[in-house]
Amino acid sequence: MRLYDDLLTNGYYTTRLWIGNPPQEFALIVDTGSTVTYVPCSGCEQCGKHQDPMFQPELSTTYQAVKCNPSCNCDNEGKQCTYERRYAEMSSSSGVLAEDVISFGNESELTPQRAAFGCENMETGDLYSQRADGIMGLGRGQLSVVDQLVDKGVISDSFSLCYGGMDVGGGAMVLGGISPPHDMAFTRSDPFRSPYYNIELKELHVAGKPLKLSPRIFDGKHGTVLDSGTTYAYFPEDAFIAFKSAIMKEIHSLKQIRGPDPNYHDICFSGAGRDVSQLSKVFPEVNMVFNNGQKLTLSPENYLFRHTKVSGGYCLGIFQNGKDPTTLLGGIVVRNTLVTYDRENNKIGFWKTNCSELWRRLQIPGGPAPAPSVSPSSNGSIRMPPSPLPSGSPPDILPDDFRIGMITFDMSITVNNISPKPNFTELAEFIAHEMEIDELQVHLLNFSLKENAYLVRWAIFPPESARYISNSMAMSIVLQLKEHRLQFPERFGSYQLLEWNVEPRREQTWWKQHFLAVAVGVLVTLVVGMSIMGVWLVWRHRQRTVGTYEPVGAATIPEHELQPL
C-alpha cells in the first residue's frame, strides 16, 4: 500500500483505507505505537475538521456495533463496547467499537475483510487539529489491524514500512511477509519487554568512533522503541549530550545558528548547502550497532531536518527525552529505510533504499495499477473527483477519437509555520519532473489564499511538438493525480487534490484557423491599394499643374500705344 504526506511538514505518514459498503475513504496515520484503528463518525460530539468526511455508519449495509461483552469496556447503558486512547502529547481519542468491511485499494492483493475499528465520538489535542482523519493501529494487540488480518489467515505475521527521504515524502507499506534483501540488518525484538516494538541497540558510532557511554544506556525502561507515529528521535540525557558533542566536533566549517522556532532551543547549523545528496560531505556518518553486531548506517537525513528560514541550514532531529530513560526512534531515523517488523520470528530488519520508489518494485509482475475510470460527459470534458475506488471492476478507457487539449487540476496547498508561501515556479518544475513531461507544459492558471491554504489551479498543455496530449500520457497524468502519487517536498507544504478535469482539443473552424492569414492579406491589399491611389493622385495633380503653366511671351497679346497726357 502506498504512503502519502511528509514526515516533517505533516509530522506523520498516512495510507488510504476504505471502510463500509459502499466504501468510504479515509487517510489514516500509520502508527506502530497504536493498537486501535479509528475514524471520526457522524454525530461525533467533539471531532475536528479533517481531510475526508466523517464515517457514516447509517450508509453502510455491513456496519455492526460490537455488543457489550466481558472482554471489553462497555458504555453507560451496557449495550456497546467502547475504547479510549491517550497519548504522550496529551491528545486523546474515545468512542465505540464497531465492525465493518475494510478495503485496501486497487494495488493490494488483499480482498476486503471484516474488522473491528473505533468509531470516534470525541477527539482532543493534536488528534482534533490534525489534517489526517484518524489512526491505523499497527501495534501489538487484539484490535490491531495486523493481528486481525493474521488471525483471519490472510497475511503472515509480518509487515513493513518504508518512509521517503528529505524533501521527498511518500513511501510504501506492506501488510504480510516479504523476502528480505540479503544485506538487511536484523535485531531481536522482545514482545514481552513492552507493548511497543523494541530493538536491542548497543552502541552509537559517530564518524567511526563509538560514543563513550554505558552499555545499558539504551536499555532503560522500555528499551529502544520504534514508533512510526513519532516524528523525531529522543535519547536519554547522557546519550543525547554525547551524540550532540560528537556531531559538533566533526563540523568545524559550519556556523551554529538559532532554530526556526524561537519557542524551541534547536541546535542548528548554516553553510551546508541545499543539495541533500551532498550532506554526507559535511556531516558525519552515524552507525547504530545492535547486540548481535549488525549495524544500521544513518545518513545525515536520518538525524537532521531542514531549517525553514535559512537556506542551507539544518538542525538536529534528535532530542533529549527529558528524564525518561527510554530511547524513542521516530520516523526521521528510518527515512529511506525499509523496516520489516517480523513479528513471527521476533525480529526487526533494516535496509537502506529509496522508499519513494519502493512501491514500484513491489508491484505484482504483470499487474500494474489500473487506469482511472473516466468517461466523457455531456459537455465534452471529463471531470472527476480525486479519490480512487477500491472496486475491482474494469475501468472505462477514453475513446480513441477523444483529442485532449488540456488537463486542469485544483489543489489545496496547506502551509504553516514550517512551510512559508510555496514557490510556484519551483513547484511547477517539480510537478513536471514527477509527471515526466516538459516544464513548459505546466502552467499556473490562478491561486488564492484561504486561511492557511492556497487554492491553486494548474493546467497541463500538449508538448510544443504536438497538437494534443496523447491518451496514454493523459492516463498516466490522471492516474498520478487520482492516486495521490505526487509527493511534495517539505518546503512546499502538503496538498490535497480537489478536482481534475480533462478538456478536449477545441477543433477550430476554417475561418478561425485561417483568420491570421486572411487578416494579413486584407491588410497588405489595403496598403498596396492606398499606395497606388496615392501615386496616381500625385501624378494627376502634377499633370494639371504642368498643363496650365505658360511662359512669358507665349501668348499673342495686342500692343497698345500710350495715350498722350
Side-chain angles (χ1 to χ4, degrees), residues 11-76:
Y12 50 70
Y13 283 94
T14 62
T15 191
R16 302 288 187 263
L17 208 65
W18 289 262
I19 302 177
N21 185 26
Q24 302 173 44
E25 183 185 6
F26 300 96
L28 304 183
I29 298 172
V30 291
D31 188 4
T32 59
S34 296
T35 56
V36 184
T37 296
Y38 51 81
V39 296
C41 286
S42 58
C44 177
E45 299 172 1
Q46 183 180 318
C47 286
K49 185 178 181 181
H50 302 295
Q51 181 170 326
D52 299 288
M54 295 183 183
F55 178 67
Q56 300 183 61
E58 63 274 11
L59 298 183
S60 175
T61 59
T62 49
Y63 175 87
Q64 283 185 337
V66 176
K67 295 182 180 179
C68 184
N69 62 74
S71 63
C72 74
N73 295 321
C74 300
D75 59 12
N76 294 333

Side-chain angles (χ1 to χ4, degrees), residues 475-494:
M475 282 298 181
S476 174
I477 293 172
V478 168
L479 191 62
Q480 291 186 69
L481 293 172
K482 188 176 179 184
E483 297 197 346
H484 302 270
R485 290 187 188 176
L486 287 180
Q487 298 298 327
F488 279 10
E490 297 168 8
R491 63 183 182 277
F492 294 139
S494 60

Side-chain angles (χ1 to χ4, degrees), residues 70-91:
S71 63
C72 74
N73 295 321
C74 300
D75 59 12
N76 294 333
E77 298 177 359
K79 294 182 179 180
Q80 195 168 352
C81 287
T82 62
Y83 80 94
E84 183 177 6
R85 290 294 182 272
R86 297 184 179 275
Y87 298 91
E89 75 276 10
M90 305 308 294
S91 60

Side-chain angles (χ1 to χ4, degrees), residues 200-204 214-218 289-293:
E200 295 181 340
L201 179 60
K202 181 182 179 182
E203 294 178 348
L204 273 182
S214 167
R216 299 189 61 82
I217 187 70
F218 300 110
V289 183
F290 306 127
N291 278 3
N292 58 7

Side-chain angles (χ1 to χ4, degrees), residues 118-282:
C119 206
E120 278 185 315
N121 55 36
M122 181 172 290
E123 299 172 330
T124 65
D126 290 344
L127 292 175
Y128 181 89
S129 58
Q130 71 189 13
R131 183 168 168 266
D133 300 311
I135 298 288
M136 182 175 181
L138 300 172
R140 293 189 179 101
Q142 186 178 2
L143 294 175
S144 167
V145 168
V146 178
D147 283 76
Q148 293 188 67
L149 294 176
V150 170
D151 291 343
K152 291 177 179 292
V154 294
I155 65 170
S156 60
D157 197 2
S158 178
F159 70 94
S160 300
L161 293 173
C162 204
Y163 286 177
M166 185 181 288
D167 289 343
V168 180
M173 175 173 69
V174 184
L175 296 178
I178 58 174
S179 298
H182 71 279
D183 53 346
M184 177 173 266
F186 281 96
T187 174
R188 184 171 181 272
S189 181
D190 186 357
F192 304 105
R193 171 70 187 270
S194 74
Y196 308 106
Y197 295 108
N198 54 70
I199 62 174
E200 295 181 340
L201 179 60
K202 181 182 179 182
E203 294 178 348
L204 273 182
H205 294 184
V206 176
K209 306 168 187 175
L211 300 184
K212 296 179 180 180
L213 295 168
S214 167
R216 299 189 61 82
I217 187 70
F218 300 110
D219 197 37
K221 199 175 180 180
H222 295 299
T224 299
V225 173
L226 285 177
D227 185 2
S228 67
T230 295
T231 306
Y232 301 106
Y234 300 86
F235 286 176
E237 183 176 5
D238 290 346
F240 170 74
I241 294 173
F243 176 78
K244 178 188 69 172
S245 300
I247 294 291
M248 296 182 71
K249 284 181 181 178
E250 299 294 328
I251 50 174
H252 304 290
S253 61
L254 302 184
K255 178 184 177 183
Q256 189 168 351
I257 58 175
R258 293 183 178 180
D261 190 337
N263 296 319
Y264 297 95
H265 300 293
D266 293 328
I267 300 170
C268 304
F269 310 92
S270 65
R274 293 195 58 82
D275 190 348
V276 176
S277 65
Q278 301 300 311
L279 289 183
S280 58
K281 296 180 179 180
V282 183

